[in-house]
Amino acid sequence: MTARSSGVRGIFSDSEAVDLASPLSGPHARLDPHRAQEVAARACWTSVVEPGDAFGGVVRDVLGAVESLELLVRGADRAEWLQRLGSEDQQVVEGLQDALSRWTPRVQPAAFRRVMQQGARWQQRLILPDDEHWPSQLDDLGMNTPAALWVRGDPAKVGSLASSVALVGSRAATAYGTEVTAELAERASGAGIAVVSGGAFGIDAAAHRVVLDAGGETVCVLAGGLDRFYPSAHQQLIERIEDKGAVVAEVPSGVPPARWRFLARNRVIAALVPATIVVEAGRRSGAINTAGHAAALGRQLGAVPGPVTSGTSTGCHRLLREYSAEVIEGGDDLVRLVHGEQAEDAVLDVVGAEEVRILDALSIRQARSSSEVAQLAGLSHDQVLGGLGLLELAGSVRSRPDGFVKTRGTSA
């Protein structure tokens, strides 16, 4: 019997795989046995390998997730592995031996079941590389591509990041860094650009909060399992992200965040987006690590310059000097970095005498109704509605439930 008909030998029957894997594919999903075995195998692999384990990518790519897991569970010897892999290359031989010594202690069928049961309990979705919501840009990671992604929230948000930017930086953000992050995040939201970050203190949290308040799209990538959001002080913030966007991890429930997992997580952030901007960072930091991954992947890279006396800007200056990062001075630079355009400020394309008066009547913080704007600007209500529509399309004005506000950095 093959793994497809009998299940991964020693772990799941077909019926058990269906019961365990179906909830991970949607609240009303009922997978066929073949697909259920693939989902189950991918779930198991996320608990066997550490993030970024390239040899795991090799065996899954050559043998498939189900067959390679079956070999591992069955305790196949090195000779069988090499025969199945079709290689006698010395590097493969040595790499395989090291990999098996890492993976074998984690072959625990009870733990595999628990991983999927906990995923279902926390209403997580498991996105596989052939799923419709899989972000294909992750494939640029090659053999370092995750076996699958665990998601809380809307998986469609993860698969629709073609127009997006990572905003990352120091946990010990300064007032300057927080203010610049707010401007960039708000401009991104106004331009329909999703913001990806890591949910950490400082720059990450500032970016997520502003996007959520602006009604934009944001995705948070965590270094630990999604049963417990980290840092715990950001529980409510990350729950808001889950409610409006998506929270992502490549490790299953029960796996704690650790230093090496943060560093591995950064490659996922960099790969998900076409552009990464470092707002503030020390010379050696996680944000610089993310920037390094972005540069290695050929993604666009930007950095915000800061005071030469500030230790939280030395990393940004290093990126500008050594990595040829683009200088990011405001929201328009962000839009150009993401879209690869050298267009003039969109405001200048639509602004006229009426639009100038409308902008002057608006505030960045206090929302005003169209009637209030008409009164302050001395224009008819129809003129104001038309002007507001143009300015909103240009990303200079944002509508909120209580009225309209001017986006940061906008001037007539």
Side-chain angles (χ1 to χ4, degrees):
M1 298 289 283
T2 66
R4 291 187 177 183
S5 62
S6 63
V8 178
R9 196 175 306 156
I11 308 182
F12 312 117
S13 66
D14 280 347
S15 60
E16 186 179 19
V18 169
D19 290 340
L20 288 168
S22 292
L24 302 179
S25 297
H28 305 295
R30 189 66 181 174
L31 302 178
D32 64 76
H34 172 56
R35 184 59 177 175
Q37 291 289 354
E38 180 70 18
V39 172
R42 292 273 173 176
C44 294
W45 272 113
T46 67
S47 64
V48 168
V49 300
E50 280 293 326
D53 188 326
F55 212 90
V58 169
V59 299
R60 291 193 304 273
D61 184 64
V62 175
L63 303 175
V66 173
E67 182 179 348
S68 55
L69 185 66
E70 179 186 306
L71 287 173
L72 183 63
V73 171
R74 184 160 51 80
D77 61 24
R78 186 172 62 177
E80 183 176 358
W81 273 99
L82 292 173
Q83 188 271 327
R84 295 282 193 97
L85 290 170
S87 175
E88 295 182 359
D89 182 272
Q90 187 60 32
Q91 286 186 320
V92 174
V93 173
E94 294 175 359
L96 176 63
Q97 190 61 46
D98 290 342
L100 292 177
S101 66
R102 294 194 302 271
W103 301 341
T104 301
R106 293 185 173 182
V107 177
Q108 301 174 13
F112 292 162
R113 289 182 177 84
R114 188 164 57 250
V115 157
M116 286 184 278
Q117 290 166 345
Q118 288 180 331
R121 186 176 303 122
W122 290 99
Q123 298 182 316
Q124 297 174 30
R125 294 283 298 276
L126 190 68
I127 304 179
L128 276 58
D130 60 352
D131 279 341
E132 61 173 325
H133 298 312
W134 178 263
S136 59
Q137 59 271 26
L138 277 187
D139 298 338
D140 291 346
L141 291 169
M143 295 307 168
N144 292 302
T145 301
L149 292 177
W150 296 91
V151 179
R152 283 177 63 172
D154 185 356
K157 304 292 187 184
V158 184
S160 59
L161 291 173
S163 178
S164 60
V165 64
L167 292 180
V168 296
S170 174
R171 286 173 170 79
T174 67
Y176 165 77
T178 302
E179 181 179 355
V180 173
T181 300
E183 178 184 339
L184 295 176
E186 190 162 30
R187 184 70 172 92
S189 297
I193 297 171
V195 172
V196 177
S197 200
F201 292 109
I203 300 300
D204 290 18
H208 288 306
R209 286 194 180 97
V210 171
V211 174
L212 289 169
D213 291 343
E217 303 284 350
T218 190
V219 171
C220 179
V221 184
L222 297 183
L226 301 184
D227 56 324
R228 186 167 18 172
F229 291 154
Y230 181 88
S232 58
H234 285 172
Q235 178 76 23
Q236 290 185 333
L237 170 63
I238 301 176
E239 285 176 351
R240 287 181 65 199
I241 298 171
E242 176 188 6
D243 184 53
K244 300 296 184 181
V247 186
V248 180
E250 62 178 303
V251 295
S253 295
V255 176
R259 179 174 174 79
W260 68 89
R261 293 188 184 119
F262 281 108
L263 294 175
R265 180 276 309 269
N266 293 341
R267 85 192 193 289
V268 174
I269 292 178
L272 279 173
V273 296
T276 293
I277 293 176
V278 181
V279 181
E280 281 188 316
R283 187 170 180 82
R284 298 182 185 276
S285 66
I288 298 301
N289 177 260
T290 304
H293 286 297
L297 289 164
R299 304 295 199 256
Q300 295 296 315
L301 181 60
V304 176
V308 295
T309 55
S310 173
T312 54
S313 290
T314 56
C316 293
H317 298 159
R318 178 188 172 196
L319 294 176
L320 294 169
R321 183 171 57 250
E322 300 177 15
Y323 287 74
S324 300
E326 295 289 330
V327 175
I328 304 298
E329 295 181 314
D332 293 334
D333 293 329
L334 178 150
V335 174
R336 283 192 289 269
L337 191 73
V338 172
H339 293 314
E341 301 169 351
Q342 296 299 318
E344 296 181 359
D345 186 349
V347 181
L348 299 180
D349 294 335
V350 300
V351 74
E354 291 179 0
E355 285 75 33
V356 169
R357 289 162 68 176
I358 291 170
L359 286 171
D360 284 343
L362 288 170
S363 164
I364 291 175
R365 294 181 178 82
Q366 181 182 351
R368 291 183 177 136
S369 68
S370 55
S371 298
E372 289 176 301
V373 174
Q375 181 181 7
L376 291 169
L379 297 170
S380 72
H381 195 247
D382 287 343
Q383 287 175 310
V384 168
L385 289 177
L388 285 170
L390 287 172
L391 291 168
E392 190 169 5
L393 285 173
S396 305
V397 166
R398 180 166 54 83
S399 62
R400 298 195 325 203
D402 53 345
F404 297 86
V405 293
K406 180 165 55 177
T407 58
R408 293 176 185 268
T410 296
S411 59

